[in-house]
Amino acid sequence: MAAAKRPGGHGTLITVAPTGAEHTKADVPNLPVTLEELVAEAVACEAAGAAMIHVHIRGADTTPTLDPQRLKDTVAALREQTDLVVQLSTGGAVADPEEDRLRVLDAMPDSASCTMGTVNFGDDVFLNRWEFVVELHKRMRERRIVPEYEIFDIGQLASLARLLDQHGLPAGGHVHVDLVMGVPGGMPGDTETLAAALRAIPAGATFSATGVGRTSLPVMLASLSAGGHLRVGMEDTVSYARGERVRDNAQLVERAAQLASVAQRPPLSAAEVRTLIGVAQSN
Ligand code: KMH
Ligand code: ZN
């Protein structure tokens, strides 16, 4: 865990994942689900220190959708109103068909998630067949979309090594990994597991980490201590502290930015993150 040797070690990439596909608007009334709510949250999160946004969208009925036109409109609105690196989720919701997930790339985001294997996901299964992962990787390369490899369990890092070995580096030539920890069915969200995962991360790769639910803070502190970057947001946690619900996504970004600054690795700007992970600069 040689923090200083990892690219981007001088600053912290903070990604906000504001919505996700799991929480309902009925259960979490402050979850951003309309385009207006999403953009307002994105603007506030950028001001608080976020440089990238991991986006799941919702339909008019507030349930998750991968509607192509809505995705394009979302990318356009976020580009218009913010400088954030726009990352679309290709994970979607657990029941989304592979074809719909692949079609997400036609919205031409800066970045897209690419989960490196199948994992139990609470009572569901988040299915990511090998052939599907390879197809995502290939289509992202063709479109010059920079992947963020989502890792829910340590074995998926072996799959990432196999992918890079068999199919080459992604667009931008840099490998960035996001450890999603604490999902029931995936790897636990604790320091020991993060340290074990880092031993399997490709040389030269950057990584961020996010802890789901109550693992949010331990994972954030562990990642900072290991030279890693951070993802926070209501996709992953809707409680701010014991017995206290999250006010909004900016509240989570503010805390991440404060902790990153305490760690002497203050938030990176969106432009710095574009350079770090190999996304073309915006105009
Ligand atoms: N909603 C989860 C089933 C991703 O965005 O790429 C998958 C997920 C991963 O959130
Ligand atoms: Zn997601």
Side-chain angles (χ1 to χ4, degrees), residues 49-65:
M52 180 148 76
I53 184 164
H54 169 85
V55 180
H56 291 252
I57 63 166
R58 302 292 176 102
D61 64 356
T62 78
T63 64
T65 180

Side-chain angles (χ1 to χ4, degrees), residues 18 36 59 61 78 90 124 131 138 142 150 169 184 197 223 246 249 266:
E36 292 69 29
D61 64 356
L78 289 168
T90 67
D124 298 305
E131 291 84 354
K138 284 184 179 166
E142 285 163 13
E150 306 278 337
L169 286 169
S223 184
V246 167
N249 281 286

Side-chain angles (χ1 to χ4, degrees), residues 108-110 139-146 170-173 278-280:
M108 294 301 288
D110 302 309
R139 291 196 195 188
M140 279 195 231
R141 266 168 62 129
E142 285 163 13
R143 290 165 177 73
R144 310 298 303 158
I145 295 169
V146 171
V279 173

Side-chain angles (χ1 to χ4, degrees), residues 17 19-22 54-56 87-92 113 115 126 150 152 180 231 235-236:
T19 308
E22 280 71 42
H54 169 85
V55 180
H56 291 252
Q87 178 185 95
L88 289 183
S89 166
T90 67
S113 58
T115 296
F126 180 29
E150 306 278 337
F152 288 75
V180 184
R231 177 175 116 175
E235 172 167 345
D236 301 328

